[in-house]
Amino acid sequence: KQEVTQIPAALSVPEGENLVLNCSFTDSAIYNLQWFRQDPGKGLTSLLLIQSSQREQTSGRLNASLDKSSGRSTLYIAASQPGDSATYLCAVIHSHDMRFGAGTRLTVKP
Amino acid sequence: NAGVTQTPKFRILKIGQSMTLQCTQDMNHNYMYWYRQDPGMGLKLIYYSVGAGITDKGEVPNGYNVSRSTTEDFPLRLELAAPSQTSVYFCASSYPKGGQGRNTQYFGPGTRLTVL
């Protein structure tokens, strides 16, 4: 059974710092991996999707990497801003089955 | 496009009551999903559908039913509400119909359900 773990559960940083969020998964036979952002009381917004044949994806200040063999993905956020404060969820995709981690709650202080 | 829409936004049910959570997407996606999110947890898949007339169970299907009579709509039915079903419910869709897509799932804003 696929287990997805995100560390740390919560993170607080001053504005301007670069930071890394971690996601690990137990079954490396995944189709894709996706990172989402969730604001309080809101739905999920897709940030980056990495297909199993890819090693990384970049969008603006965000960079996500994928190492299938070790069961790990990282989300790198450069020059963090208060507007980045949210919960970040990673999800691994097996065909139509998407398994989520519990998320990392990020607070960026001005 | 409105994307994925869900109604209602909030609902309080008494134990044993029934209700249907509505989900509609206007992106012509053939895949649709229902998830629940408990406090401090990730999302868990309840049911999914790969097209009209086809549904399948996810990780936590007990206590729920779904139907998919059209491409656009994927309602989730709770027959006998229980306190354990208190959660936030998200509907999602993916893949353009007939195309390859990239399996990016698009989520609705959620329905917050409390069962007392």
Side-chain angles (χ1 to χ4, degrees), chain B residues 17-55:
Chain B
Q17 285 186 320
S18 302
M19 79 163 293
T20 299
L21 282 66
Q22 301 292 345
C23 175
T24 299
Q25 54 91 9
D26 62 359
M27 296 174 283
N28 208 26
H29 287 171
N30 46 350
Y31 299 156
M32 295 187 74
Y33 310 83
W34 273 106
Y35 295 90
R36 60 176 286 173
Q37 185 179 31
D38 298 325
M41 305 291 287
L43 281 70
K44 293 189 176 181
L45 183 64
I46 305 171
Y47 271 95
Y48 68 93
S49 169
V50 300
I54 305 170
T55 63

Side-chain angles (χ1 to χ4, degrees), chain A residues 32 38 49 93 96 98 101, chain B residues 31 33 35 37 42 102-104:
Chain A
N32 293 325
Q38 185 175 29
L49 180 143
I93 304 163
H96 306 298
M98 186 178 254
Chain B
Y31 299 156
Y33 310 83
Y35 295 90
Q37 185 179 31
R102 294 186 64 198
N103 203 35
T104 296

